[in-house]
Amino acid sequence: MNTHVSSSSPPSESGSAPRSPIGQTPGDILALISSGDAVTRAEIARHTGLARSTVSQRIDALIAHGFVDEDAEAPSTGGRPPRRLALRTYGHAIAGVDIGASHCRVGLLDMGGTLIVAREDPLTIANGPEAVLGHVERTLHTLLETADGTASRTLRAIGVGVPGPVEFSTGRPVDPPIMPGWHQYPIPQFFEDRFGVRALVDNDVNVMALAEQRRAFSDTLHLLYLKVGTGIGCGIVADGRIHRGAQGSAGDIGHIRVGERDEPCRCGNSGCLEAIAGGAALAARLRAAGLEAAGSLDIVQLVMEGNHEAVRMVREAGRSVGEVLSGLVNFFNPETVVVGGALAAVHDQLLAGVREAVYRRSNPLATHVLRIEPSRIGENAGAIGAGTLALEHALSPAQVDRALTTDAAV
C-alpha cells in the first residue's frame, strides 16, 4: 500500500530544526516517493523545482539511511531508462499494540504498512501496567526476532491503543474506568526506555477508526467507528484526520443517556448507553434469564446458536445504539459508519437494530448516502490502527528530516 502522511500524527516536538519550503526537504521528497507522486529523480526535480544535483544529494541520503530503494527501471521516454525510487519496506518494522480489557494483540507492520505478523494472548488489563506492558515487551522482542522467517527487523516506532481516555499529547491514560492503576502511567516512556524508539498512545477506538479509514474506506473522509463490546465507544475521522477533541475524550458515547432509562452505570450515572447495550450489561441480563453468559463472546455464541432471547437482546441493543448514533449522524453527517468490537461478530442482528433507529430518527439529507457497515479489518483493527498511527508519524517529513540530521551528527 502507499503510505501517506496524515495530521493524525502528534505535533512536532519543540526545538526541531527550521523547515525548508514544502516539497524540498529529504522528508518531503520521501513523502512524494511513498505516495507515488514522483518516483524518479527527474520527476522529483520537476515537482520540487530543485536542481538535479540537490535532488540527488537528498535521495542519496535517503538511500544511505535505509528509507529508499532505487532498483527497478521506470518507463523510458527515450534514451537510458530512469531508475525507479520506492519506499524501502523490508528490514524495518513498526509495532502496533492493541490492549483490551482481557486480551493483548501485538502486530508488526513493514514500512509500507503491510501486517507481517500478529499474536494475541489473553491478558487482564486490571493486573496493572507493569504486568501488562512487561508481557507486551516480551512478545514484541519475540516477534522482532522471528517475524516472517527473516533476520531480525529494526524497530522504528511503536503505536499503542488502550481501552480508556488518553491525553494524546502525553500518551498517558486519564482516570480510565476499566484500567485500575493506569491513571497517568507513562506508557510512552516505558517503551522508549526499553526499545529506544518513539511510542505513541491513543484510545483504542481512535486507532481502530484510523485502520478502517486508511485500509478499508480510503474514499471516505468523514467516518465514525463504533466499537460495541464490553463497553461502547466511537472513533471520529473528520476530513481524513482523527478528531480527538480538546483533551482527547471525543467519542466517549458510552455514557450518553438513552431516553428515560435508569439502569445504573459504572460511571456513577444511570441510563448510559453502555449500561443498556454494552456486552457486560447484556450478559448480566442473559444470566438473569437463566442462560450462561459471562461476557460478549458468550453472547455471540448464543446468537449464533439461534437462542431467541440472545437474538432479541442484541437487536434491541442495536436499536439503543442507533438511537444515540442518530444524533451523531445529524450532528456530524458522516459518509460511513463502521461497527466493530466483539458484538459486531453478530452484525446481522446488531446492525439491523442500528439501521432501524438511525434511518427512522435521522435527517433524510444526513442519511442520503450514509453507509452503515460491519468492520472490514476485523480482529486486527486495533493492532493495525496503532501501527498505522506510529508509521505515519515515523514517515512524516519532520521525523524523517530529524532522523537524517541526528544520524549525521553522530
Side-chain angles (χ1 to χ4, degrees), residues 44-333:
I44 291 169
R46 288 196 298 270
H47 197 101
T48 62
L50 293 170
R52 291 207 177 194
S53 59
T54 303
V55 169
S56 292
Q57 181 184 50
R58 293 179 180 177
I59 289 174
D60 290 344
L62 290 169
I63 293 172
H65 286 80
F67 284 108
V68 168
D69 281 327
E70 190 176 26
D71 294 325
E73 292 183 345
S76 175
T77 57
R80 183 178 178 180
R83 298 181 67 81
R84 182 182 296 272
L85 299 159
L87 176 71
R88 182 178 297 175
T89 61
Y90 59 89
H92 304 284
I94 299 290
V97 180
D98 171 29
I99 301 175
S102 57
H103 80 278
C104 174
R105 180 174 288 267
V106 181
L108 291 182
L109 284 65
D110 68 19
M111 293 298 283
T114 299
L115 183 66
I116 305 165
V117 64
R119 169 178 155 181
E120 179 172 333
D121 296 310
L123 205 61
T124 302
I125 200 166
N127 288 341
E130 295 294 340
V132 171
L133 298 181
H135 177 88
V136 173
E137 178 189 2
R138 293 188 293 274
T139 301
L140 188 47
H141 277 300
T142 299
L143 294 182
L144 285 168
E145 292 167 0
T146 62
D148 67 354
T150 66
S152 297
R153 291 173 177 260
T154 300
L155 187 64
R156 300 300 296 262
I158 301 171
V160 182
V162 298
V166 174
E167 184 181 50
F168 186 64
S169 61
T170 65
R172 297 185 179 214
V174 179
D175 292 320
I178 64 170
M179 299 171 63
W182 289 77
H183 174 62
Q184 289 293 342
Y185 189 85
I187 300 175
Q189 196 64 47
F190 178 95
F191 288 107
E192 289 165 13
D193 288 346
R194 289 158 178 79
F195 292 94
V197 298
R198 180 70 183 273
L200 296 93
V201 183
D202 205 347
N203 178 264
D204 58 354
V205 293
N206 284 344
V207 299
M208 291 174 183
L210 185 65
E212 294 286 349
Q213 193 275 331
R214 295 290 191 266
R215 307 304 178 89
F217 299 93
S218 59
D219 61 333
T220 297
L221 294 179
H222 298 88
L223 175 147
L224 296 177
Y225 176 89
L226 296 184
K227 179 187 177 185
V228 186
T230 301
I232 299 175
C234 180
I236 305 166
V237 177
D239 199 22
R241 306 171 183 178
I242 293 295
H243 174 73
R244 299 182 176 88
Q247 302 298 329
S249 66
D252 189 6
I253 68 168
H255 300 286
I256 293 177
R257 185 176 178 85
V258 179
E260 298 302 317
R261 304 286 289 266
D262 59 2
E263 288 89 336
C265 182
R266 63 185 176 185
C267 73
N269 292 313
S270 62
C272 295
L273 178 62
E274 184 175 298
I276 295 165
L282 296 183
R285 291 204 289 276
L286 287 169
R287 290 195 299 273
L291 297 168
E292 293 186 8
S296 298
L297 296 181
D298 294 326
I299 298 169
V300 169
Q301 185 62 38
L302 286 168
V303 171
M304 289 182 170
E305 291 172 355
N307 183 277
H308 293 298
E309 185 65 9
V311 170
R312 183 190 68 78
M313 283 193 184
V314 168
R315 182 152 186 157
E316 183 60 33
R319 293 191 186 100
S320 296
V321 171
E323 183 176 337
V324 171
L325 179 59
S326 65
L328 302 182
V329 167
N330 284 335
F331 177 78
F332 180 63
N333 189 201

